[in-house]
């Protein structure tokens, strides 16, 4: 069962993570192209599975210490380069640019083969369970910078 989970969650790469996803009918609009908001879903899956592969599941982080640890998107810059279509196989890559203090900066790409479809810079705020900023624990930051 572990092998299935690892392949479903993608794989760790140098300073980041890679996840492969297929485009389904539900991801497209009336034109047959992927609806722009669906790219946010693909990017979120990439970030979530990156955490999972690092051994940092979000539900466990919330209760890992008395303060709790939560990641929230603070800012996102997205460039839509070219559209994806139904049945395309996409690779979502997430690379850590910064992990420390009360934020992380992740660079994400969605590609179809070698073709860049979407590029995004995501700034993640680190907060506690009460919604207040907190420092990213050194042990967690190190995982993102390996």
């Amino acid at each position: 069962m572990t092998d299935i989970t690892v392949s479903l969650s993608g794989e760790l790469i140098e300073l980041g993570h890679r996840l492969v996803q297929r485009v389904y009918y539900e991801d497209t609009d009336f034109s047959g192209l992927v609806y722009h908001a669906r790219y946010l879903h693909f990017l979120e899956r990439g970030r979530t599975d990156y955490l999972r592969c690092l051994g940092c599941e979000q539900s466990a982080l919330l209760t890992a210490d008395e303060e709790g640890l939560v990641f929230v998107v603070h800012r996102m810059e997205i460039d839509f380069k070219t559209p994806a279509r139904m049945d395309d196989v996409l690779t979502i890559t997430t690379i850590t640019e910064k992990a420390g203090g009360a934020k992380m900066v992740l660079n994400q790409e969605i590609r179809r083969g070698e073709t860049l479809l979407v590029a995004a810079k995501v700034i993640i705020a680190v907060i506690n369970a009460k919604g207040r900023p907190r420092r990213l624990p050194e042990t967690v930051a190190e995982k993102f910078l390996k």
Side-chain angles (χ1 to χ4, degrees), residues 12-144:
L12 293 174
I13 59 174
E14 188 174 344
L15 289 181
H17 177 262
R18 178 176 27 241
L19 177 67
V20 176
Q21 297 274 283
R22 182 179 307 279
V23 174
Y24 293 101
Y25 178 77
E26 68 184 11
D27 300 316
T28 62
D29 61 17
F30 69 94
S31 70
L33 303 176
V34 170
Y35 181 63
H36 73 280
R38 294 300 289 180
Y39 292 104
L40 296 176
H41 293 249
F42 291 124
L43 294 169
E44 176 64 33
R45 289 177 196 160
R47 292 190 307 274
T48 299
D49 281 332
Y50 183 19
L51 284 171
R52 183 172 284 115
C53 286
L54 290 173
C56 298
E57 292 189 32
Q58 292 183 40
S59 57
L61 290 173
L62 184 59
T63 59
D65 62 23
E66 65 283 345
E67 196 175 355
L69 180 68
V70 179
F71 298 118
V72 295
V73 173
H74 173 69
R75 179 179 172 81
M76 184 180 282
E77 297 173 16
I78 303 175
D79 290 319
F80 297 96
K81 305 289 189 181
T82 192
R85 293 178 167 75
M86 190 168 62
D87 292 326
D88 283 351
V89 175
L90 308 179
T91 302
I92 300 101
T93 305
T94 306
I95 303 293
T96 302
E97 180 178 313
K98 177 189 185 298
K103 75 175 179 180
M104 292 192 307
V105 179
L106 303 174
N107 294 304
Q108 293 190 276
E109 291 183 345
I110 300 176
R111 291 181 177 268
R112 179 183 52 237
E114 294 299 315
T115 304
L116 178 63
L117 307 179
V118 173
K121 176 173 249 174
V122 186
I123 299 172
I124 306 291
V126 182
I127 62 173
N128 65 22
K130 295 181 180 178
R132 302 228 186 265
R134 75 164 284 182
R135 295 186 68 76
L136 185 62
E138 198 74 26
T139 56
V140 177
E142 288 173 359
K143 291 181 181 189
F144 282 94

